[in-house]
Amino acid sequence: MLGTQPDHPYPAAAPGRLLKIRGGAALHGSVRISGAKNAALKALAASILTPEEVVLNNVPMIADVLSMADLLRALGAQVEVDAEHERVTVRAEQISRTDAPPDLFKATRASVVVAGPMLARHGEISFALPGGDQIGRRPIDMHLRGFERMGTQVHRDEHGVHAKVLALQGARIYMDYPSHTGTETLMMAATRATGRTLIMNASAEPEIVWLGNLLNRMGARISGLGTPFLTIWGVERLRGVSEIVIPDRLEAATFAIAAVMTGGEVTIDSVIEEHLVPVTEKLGEVGAEVWFQDRRMLVRARGPLRPTDLQTLPYPGFPTDSQSAFVPLLTQAGGLSTVHERVYEDRLRYTKELVKMGADIRVQAFGDHDEILATAAEVHGPTRLHGARVKSLDIRSAVSVVLAGLVAEGETEVTDVFHIDRGYAELVPKLAALGADLEDTGQPAGS
Ligand code: EPU
C-alpha cells in the first residue's frame, strides 16, 4: 500500500542518549556499505517529476530519507518505505500543495533539491529557507539565480522563498561555484523546460552523474554528465523507473579510515573504486594498503602511520564530507599534517571535540569575528587520545568523534547521537560486528 501518512516516527534528539565507545580494538572482518544518502535523497526528489511509479532499491534506512519521504507525502505523493528490503516506492499522481511544511523542509538540507522538480512539474513552490549550520553559511543564491534565468519569478524574504514559473524555458546558467545541490535542482528543473539549458561550471560529484543517468532513464535528455558542462534538452514528460542506488562512498571511506587508524584489516563490500580514489590515495600516503577487486575493497594498516596534507575540493578532489573522518586518523600519524577546508568555510569547528580527547590540533580561521571566510588546521601526531564526553555537531563530525573513540584510552561518550541516525545506516552494529566495543544507550540491546 502506498501511504500518504508518515509510517516512521522521527528519530529525535533523545535526552540522555549516548554512544559509549571503549577504544583499543583493531577492526577486523567485512562490512557491507549501504546506498548513498546523497544519491537516494535526490532520486526521491526526482520521483515527483513524473505521475508514474518510481521504485528505488538499496535506499539507506536513515532519518534523512524518512524525512524526505514525509516531505513528498506532504506535497501529495504516495510513498511506501519498505525498510526490510531497503526499497522506497513513490507515486506522485497529484501534487496537492506547493507550500512545503517548514518543519519537514528544514529536516534535511537535501529538501532544497525538491524545488527544481516542483517547478518543472507544478510551476510553483514556497519553502522556508534552509538554516545555516555548524559547517558554514550554505546559501542557495546560485539555485535561485538559475531558476530566475529559466523564467521563474523568485521572491525571497525573511520567511522563505516563493518561486513561480512564468514560462519554464531553457537558459545558459553559469555557476560561480560547482554547487552539488544547485546543479541537481537546476538539472531537474531543466528536464521539462522548453529548449536547451546549459549549466556551466556544473558539479561532477558521482551522485550527480548517477542522478542524471536516472533522469535519462526516465526520458530526460541530459549530456555532459561528469563534466563541468551539462546540456539538458527539455522533454514533455518523464516516465516511471526502477533503479538501484549507488553505494555510499562516504560510508565506505569511514570504514576504510576506521580500519587504518585502529591497525586492523577490513573488507568493504559494495564500493565503486573510482568514487573512492581521492580518499584511498590519501590512505596510501599515510601508509595504508588498499586493494580493489570487483565491487570490494580490502584495507589494512601495519606499522606506524605517516602524516600527510590534504585539501578538500569538489570531486575528484578530496571530499569535504570525509575530512572530519580523516582528521582523527591524522592524530595517530607521526608528525605534522595540514588540512585545508576549501568547500565550507567553517567545517573544522568539530576539532574542538577532538582536542577534548587530547588531540593536538591548531585551527587557523581567516576572516574577522563576524565572518569566517576559510579555515585550516595543523594536526600534530601521534597523540594518545583519551576518552571524554564529546558532542556531535553534524552528521560527519559525529563520525569523527566516534572514530577518535575507537583508538582512545578509556571510555568516550558521544552526545547528540541523532546526527548519526540522519546519515549512517546501522553504524553502531556495523562497527560492533568488526570488533569495536561500543553501545548506543538509546537503542535497547538486541534491537
Ligand atoms: N554555495 C554558495 N551558494 C550557493 C550554493 C553553495 O555560496 O548557492 C557554497 C556553500 O556555502 C559551500 C559551497 O558552495 O561553501 C559548496 O556547497 P554545495 O552547494 O556544493 O553543497 P550542498 O549542495 O549544500 C552537498 C551535500 C553535502 C556535501 C556538499 C559537497 C547534499 C544534501 N549535501 O551539499 O553533504 O558536503 O554537497 O559535496 O547533497 C553531508 O552529507 O553531510 C553533507 C553536508
Side-chain angles (χ1 to χ4, degrees):
M1 239 324 254
L2 296 184
T4 50
Q5 293 300 313
D7 48 12
H8 291 272
Y10 292 116
R17 180 179 172 199
L18 292 173
L19 192 58
K20 293 186 177 181
I21 308 154
R22 288 160 292 272
L27 301 191
H28 285 277
S30 65
V31 61
R32 186 185 77 84
I33 297 307
S34 301
K37 167 178 90 78
N38 287 341
L41 291 169
K42 321 313 171 41
L44 286 168
S47 67
I48 59 170
L49 281 165
T50 173
E52 296 177 19
E53 189 168 272
V54 173
V55 182
L56 299 170
N57 295 290
N58 198 34
V59 177
M61 288 297 134
I62 52 176
D64 274 13
V65 161
L66 301 181
S67 7
M68 178 62 94
D70 287 344
L71 175 61
L72 300 183
R73 287 184 179 107
L75 297 172
Q78 302 219 301
V79 185
E80 183 194 1
V81 178
D82 177 351
E84 193 190 339
H85 298 102
E86 300 180 328
R87 181 179 304 136
V88 180
T89 306
V90 182
R91 196 177 307 128
E93 275 167 46
Q94 303 272 330
I95 298 294
S96 54
R97 64 191 276 188
T98 56
D99 56 322
D103 288 356
L104 289 178
F105 198 86
K106 286 180 169 179
T108 159
R109 172 79 190 180
S111 306
V112 292
V113 172
V114 170
M118 279 294 285
L119 292 175
R121 174 84 187 276
H122 209 75
E124 193 170 356
I125 183 164
S126 317
F127 58 88
L129 277 177
D133 54 27
Q134 310 235 20
I135 61 178
R137 285 162 298 137
R138 305 187 79 181
I140 54 165
D141 51 300
M142 283 184 278
H143 309 47
L144 300 182
R145 227 180 305 136
F147 291 148
E148 282 174 338
R149 295 203 54 110
M150 293 171 74
T152 297
Q153 202 169 51
V154 177
H155 176 76
R156 181 184 176 151
D157 61 24
E158 70 276 19
H159 303 298
V161 173
H162 177 236
K164 190 169 170 48
V165 167
L166 303 176
L168 197 64
Q169 66 217 7
R172 282 167 61 91
I173 300 170
Y174 177 80
M175 302 183 83
D176 292 336
Y177 181 96
S179 164
H180 188 146
T181 49
T183 302
E184 290 166 329
T185 203
L186 295 172
M187 176 169 79
M188 289 199 274
T191 57
R192 294 189 52 183
T194 317
R196 186 183 69 161
T197 299
L198 275 181
I199 305 180
M200 295 168 281
N201 200 21
S203 170
E205 303 282 331
E207 295 78 15
I208 294 170
V209 175
W210 177 79
L211 176 69
N213 286 324
L214 172 83
L215 293 166
N216 282 343
R217 289 196 55 218
M218 294 170 74
R221 291 177 59 201
I222 303 170
S223 58
L225 289 162
T227 78
F229 297 95
L230 291 182
T231 304
I232 303 126
W233 285 95
V235 296
E236 288 269 303
R237 55 184 291 278
L238 294 174
R239 54 180 178 267
V241 73
S242 176
E243 187 54 281
I244 301 171
V245 176
I246 44 170
D248 196 315
R249 62 190 165 115
L250 305 169
E251 188 195 6
T254 301
F255 282 101
I257 291 166
V260 172
M261 64 187 290
T262 62
E265 178 168 331
V266 174
T267 301
I268 303 174
D269 209 350
S270 194
V271 295
I272 298 174
E273 177 174 354
E274 190 185 309
H275 297 176
L276 279 158
V277 162
V279 174
T280 54
E281 286 296 309
K282 285 288 154 190
L283 286 175
E285 284 178 22
V286 301
E289 295 173 304
V290 181
W291 291 272
F292 284 93
Q293 190 176 37
D294 303 324
R295 301 266 281 194
R296 288 199 295 176
M297 109 201 219
L298 177 73
V299 185
R300 75 173 181 206
R302 289 183 180 161
L305 298 176
R306 296 188 290 268
T308 191
D309 301 315
L310 61 88
Q311 50 178 312
T312 65
L313 286 170
Y315 184 83
F318 189 92
T320 173
D321 293 325
S322 293
Q323 176 261 106
S324 45
F326 215 90
V327 166
L329 180 152
L330 295 176
T331 68
Q332 303 306 297
L336 168 66
S337 298
T338 60
V339 177
H340 284 226
E341 173 53 55
R342 297 183 57 186
V343 176
Y344 292 113
E345 67 274 13
D346 200 10
R347 206 177 200 178
L348 284 164
R349 206 187 272 213
Y350 73 89
T351 54
K352 284 191 184 134
E353 303 303 305
L354 299 180
V355 170
K356 287 182 195 163
M357 300 175 70
D360 182 358
I361 303 174
R362 301 165 205 177
V363 174
Q364 209 183 347
F366 305 91
D368 57 29
H369 289 304
D370 295 332
E371 194 175 17
I372 292 174
L373 299 175
T375 45
E378 283 186 355
V379 185
H380 299 263
T383 40
R384 282 172 92 110
L385 301 182
H386 54 77
R389 181 173 280 223
V390 285
K391 188 174 176 185
S392 317
L393 306 184
D394 60 73
I395 299 174
R396 309 298 168 190
S397 75
V399 158
S400 183
V401 286
V402 172
L403 292 177
L406 294 178
V407 295
E409 276 176 19
E411 189 168 84
T412 300
E413 294 181 335
V414 181
T415 66
D416 294 29
V417 183
F418 64 92
H419 285 298
I420 295 179
D421 305 338
R422 288 189 47 210
Y424 286 84
E426 307 284 317
L427 182 72
V428 171
K430 284 179 180 179
L431 283 172
L434 293 172
D437 182 2
L438 77 177
E439 88 192 88
D440 181 347
T441 66
Q443 302 286 323
S447 72

